[in-house]
Amino acid sequence: MSLAANRPESDSAVAAQLESVRAAGLALASAGFRLSTANAALCDRLEPGHGIQLHRIDQYPLAARAAVRAHFRFAGATAVAGVVPGSPAEQAGVRADDTVLAFGPVAVPPASDGPPSTVGLVALWQGVAALPPTAPIRIDLLRDGAPLTVTVTPIPACRTRYELLFTPALEASANGEMVQISTGYTDRFGDELVLAVLAHELAHNILRHRDRLKAVGAEFGMLSGFGRNMGFFRQAELQADTLAVHLLARAGYPADLASRFRQHPVARARSGMFQSPSHPQWRDRLRVALAEEARIAANGPGAPFVAERDAPLTGDWRPLVPKP
């Protein structure tokens, strides 16, 4: 979560901005929870799926922390920003604005007084993610100043943290254990079509693409679209495009979200001369989406490329594009 450092003049404007931040973060957390738990059988790296969206006071700008602390009732470094509806946490009675004192055996890092940072949040997530995926977790809370202990019995989830970037730019990435997506995507594509982006990035994590690209010596950044790098990155992108359609279907979302996303005017406009050569052309990606949607309609969702995630990438991406 993020918040502009410039504080609006009225308290009501502050509250409205903070609730907007909360709602956007919870929408992402809920979609990520659904995708990660529905597809846990495909993941070899699991975490406890509890449904708690955490935030920390030190991830907010210094100038905004007093307002944030008051609005979200922080009584410590870490609090519950939101609870995914129907999740184990909701069933256990966890509520938004509870302060978290202990999350099972994982220590809650003290708050930093420095510039905004997610270091403490990531450290807490990593500790909780390493716990057994179905073992009950005792969580010590403060609610309105009173101590409270609940026990959450999680369900298995793919080990992935979802982070929302508050920027109008179109940014989405996956690093193996995190998926980041910008509000630029939700603003332009809407809450439904953006699910196709989330599923694509989760597919990268499931298929270990970041590790496999590094293993073959692929160069990231500006060089990703040149020479041998281009083949490796296009192969990874098309594999993720293919698996993403199945991840959506497994989670109960319409499989055609992928092709509808590709046909959106913004997605089409980003192809061609404005697109990095490390990514396949728009028409190729649309063909992949349509082919997988037809395959799912005929046979149900599968798990393409999951059995190959330990194999080196070859850079041979052309056979992954269906013929016109």
Side-chain angles (χ1 to χ4, degrees):
M1 303 174 78
S2 180
L3 183 68
N6 296 325
R7 179 175 173 176
E9 292 182 0
S10 69
D11 290 341
S12 60
V14 172
Q17 184 182 11
L18 290 171
E19 284 305 314
S20 176
V21 169
R22 189 205 297 269
L26 183 57
L28 175 64
S30 298
F33 181 85
R34 181 168 168 178
L35 284 166
S36 287
T37 55
N39 291 289
L42 306 186
C43 298
D44 60 346
R45 301 169 180 174
L46 297 174
E47 66 173 320
H50 45 74
I52 301 175
Q53 183 203 12
L54 296 171
H55 62 161
R56 286 174 52 84
I57 193 65
D58 53 13
Q59 71 188 85
Y60 293 93
L62 287 167
R65 286 180 191 171
V68 168
R69 190 183 301 278
H71 183 83
F72 293 125
R73 303 177 188 176
F74 273 92
T78 302
V80 177
V83 180
V84 173
S87 67
E90 184 185 64
Q91 295 168 16
V94 180
R95 297 180 189 172
D97 297 340
D98 287 344
T99 293
V100 180
L101 302 177
F103 209 118
V106 182
V108 175
S112 167
D113 293 329
S117 172
T118 59
V119 170
L121 182 65
V122 172
L124 180 56
W125 174 82
Q126 288 176 333
V128 174
L131 297 176
T134 59
I137 304 172
R138 169 180 165 148
I139 304 177
D140 295 326
L141 306 167
L142 275 179
R143 180 177 297 165
D144 296 327
L148 173 68
T149 297
V150 300
T151 299
V152 175
T153 302
I155 57 177
C158 298
R159 188 176 298 189
T160 289
R161 183 172 72 88
Y162 295 86
E163 181 175 284
L164 185 63
L165 302 176
F166 284 79
T167 171
L170 289 172
E171 298 183 15
S173 63
N175 69 1
E177 65 174 20
M178 179 173 68
V179 164
Q180 284 186 329
I181 187 168
S182 68
T183 52
Y185 268 103
T186 53
D187 291 345
R188 290 172 175 82
F189 291 94
D191 291 338
E192 186 181 38
L193 291 186
V194 81
L195 294 168
V197 184
L198 286 183
H200 172 89
E201 299 301 338
L202 177 59
H204 278 311
N205 283 355
I206 292 174
L207 297 176
R208 297 183 184 175
H209 279 148
R210 173 72 61 156
D211 292 342
R212 293 165 69 195
L213 285 165
K214 289 181 178 179
V216 295
E219 297 187 62
F220 291 77
M222 293 184 63
L223 296 177
S224 62
F226 297 94
R228 62 193 293 270
N229 295 311
M230 185 185 73
F232 292 131
F233 279 95
R234 286 196 175 189
Q235 182 184 14
E237 290 299 321
L238 289 168
Q239 286 185 353
D241 283 349
T242 302
L243 178 57
V245 186
H246 296 261
L247 300 184
L248 289 167
R250 285 175 172 271
Y253 292 119
D256 71 347
L257 286 176
S259 63
R260 284 158 53 195
F261 172 82
R262 294 296 170 201
Q263 294 176 85
H264 190 280
V266 174
R268 295 184 64 170
R270 282 171 59 83
S271 62
M273 63 180 296
F274 299 105
Q275 176 178 290
S276 167
S278 65
H279 285 57
Q281 292 298 309
W282 165 79
R283 293 187 184 280
D284 290 344
R285 304 184 84 169
L286 176 59
R287 288 190 189 110
V288 167
L290 292 172
E292 295 310 308
E293 290 164 16
R295 186 170 288 111
I296 290 169
N299 304 310
F305 306 115
V306 171
E308 305 170 24
R309 65 175 156 222
D310 291 323
L313 293 170
T314 63
D316 189 10
W317 59 272
R318 290 178 179 82
L320 303 180
V321 181
K323 300 296 183 184

